[in-house]
Amino acid sequence: MGMAHAGLADIGLLVVRLVMGLTFIGHGTQKLFGWFGGAGISGTGQWLESLGFRPGGRIWAVVAGTLEFLAGAMLCVGILLPVAAVFIIVVMLDAIITVHWRNGYWVDRGGFEYNVMLMATAFALACVGPGNYVLFTLP
């Protein structure tokens, strides 16, 4: 890869990490704090219990929100991408199994297309790495 292309690859990785990371931070804070129009722990917990997570909908709301928030933060900072990918894949598999599977693949029908795209992107980032634009690196 030429020098100019290496710089563009780093910019591309940064854009994907930031867009995906900020989106997951948003989803996590919707569940945890009710930000961005979210239901918070109580509302998300009630919704999860309506899906069959009984008892303990509130606990699962905290778990899902925390995993989403942490994964998003890791993506934004550019650290521990394999861990972030596992968090995203676990939460998305759960969403597929509990909500989207019955609707088929296509997102316009409530299916799991978007979940699969997020899982694939998280996996790819874990495989490729964060690029050169990171806030800090771990030893």
Side-chain angles (χ1 to χ4, degrees):
M1 190 180 315
M3 194 58 95
H5 295 299
L8 288 175
D10 290 328
I11 292 169
L13 288 167
L14 177 64
V15 168
V16 171
R17 285 184 13 243
L18 288 177
V19 169
M20 192 166 170
L22 291 171
T23 300
F24 270 96
I25 288 172
H27 278 287
T29 58
Q30 285 177 320
K31 289 175 181 69
L32 295 171
F33 311 118
W35 296 357
F36 309 111
I41 292 170
S42 180
T44 303
Q46 289 174 0
W47 175 69
L48 289 171
E49 287 189 6
S50 78
L51 295 174
F53 289 87
R54 281 180 248 145
R58 290 174 58 94
I59 293 168
W60 288 112
V62 170
V63 169
T66 300
L67 291 179
E68 288 175 342
F69 179 84
L70 289 175
M74 287 184 251
L75 288 173
C76 287
V77 174
I79 60 168
L80 302 172
L81 295 192
V83 176
V86 168
F87 289 175
I88 289 168
I89 290 167
V90 165
V91 171
M92 292 299 102
L93 280 174
D94 179 60
I96 289 169
I97 292 166
T98 59
V99 178
H100 300 287
W101 184 261
R102 66 180 148 269
N103 300 320
Y105 184 73
W106 302 110
V107 72
D108 64 336
R109 297 180 182 118
F112 54 93
E113 169 188 7
Y114 181 62
N115 307 97
V116 170
M117 296 298 290
L118 291 170
M119 291 174 9
T121 304
F123 179 77
L125 285 171
C127 292
V128 173
N132 286 324
Y133 297 119
V134 297
L135 289 182
F136 60 90
T137 57
L138 296 175

